[in-house]
Amino acid sequence: MNLDNCPRCGKLYAKNFKNLCSACIKAIEEEYELCFKYLRENKGSTIHQLSDATGVSIKQITKFIKEGRISVENNPNMMYPCEVCGILIREGNMCDGCRTRLTRDLTAAAREEALAREPEQNQTSAYKTLDRLRKD
């Protein structure tokens, strides 16, 4: 039997597929039921209103959304924070601004890498062979 400490409460538990102790699994299910009931009665709620009304953390509500347990399609004002900057979004993990910035940074890094390799590519084959022999 594999034992581990629950990442949520720290108690020792027998490992399972959720990687949480049974008490925390039960608590999360109760939190989900609170959220589900509240959203059924208050469809226009935001994530902050839901958190304030139920006492469930925004982080946990975001997990429910990403797991597909809470639908943003059925709740028009429901949005969750971007993982990078925290701005509220309705899909994905990052807002458009952070995604654009990441793409631009990756493109720039690839370009710099290509420029750094360029002098090696301009050498004649004889010099490349000599360089390989010297390294070995």
Side-chain angles (χ1 to χ4, degrees):
M1 179 187 303
N2 291 336
L3 298 176
D4 201 1
N5 288 356
C6 177
R8 189 167 187 216
C9 69
K11 291 181 186 175
L12 193 63
Y13 75 103
K15 280 187 130 181
N16 55 39
F17 69 97
K18 288 203 174 198
N19 293 326
L20 295 169
C21 69
S22 59
C24 287
I25 291 171
K26 184 178 178 184
I28 289 172
E29 288 304 314
E30 289 171 358
E31 289 176 348
Y32 171 72
E33 287 297 322
L34 282 172
C35 292
F36 184 75
K37 287 177 185 175
Y38 182 82
L39 287 173
R40 192 178 321 147
E41 297 167 3
N42 304 288
K43 285 217 183 269
S45 318
T46 65
I47 195 167
H48 295 291
Q49 292 169 338
L50 177 61
S51 179
D52 292 342
T54 61
V56 178
S57 70
I58 290 178
K59 184 177 178 180
Q60 185 61 52
I61 295 169
T62 301
K63 282 184 182 179
F64 291 147
I65 293 170
K66 289 184 178 181
E67 290 171 354
R69 298 178 78 183
I70 293 178
S71 171
V72 291
E73 286 83 22
N74 296 338
N75 300 292
N77 296 330
M78 186 62 61
M79 294 185 273
Y80 54 92
C82 166
E83 290 182 3
V84 178
C85 69
I87 192 170
L88 295 177
I89 56 176
R90 289 186 58 84
E91 61 183 30
N93 293 326
M94 286 187 272
C95 65
D96 290 338
C98 291
R99 191 177 302 113
T100 302
R101 192 174 325 112
L102 179 63
T103 303
R104 185 178 58 235
D105 291 348
L106 286 172
T107 304
R111 195 175 308 124
E112 287 176 15
E113 182 70 24
L115 289 174
R117 289 184 186 177
E118 193 172 286
E120 293 174 7
Q121 293 172 352
N122 289 337
Q123 291 178 342
T124 65
S125 60
Y127 288 121
K128 286 182 186 178
T129 305
L130 285 173
D131 287 342
R132 265 192 254 127
L133 291 173
R134 286 181 192 150
K135 289 179 185 176
D136 295 335

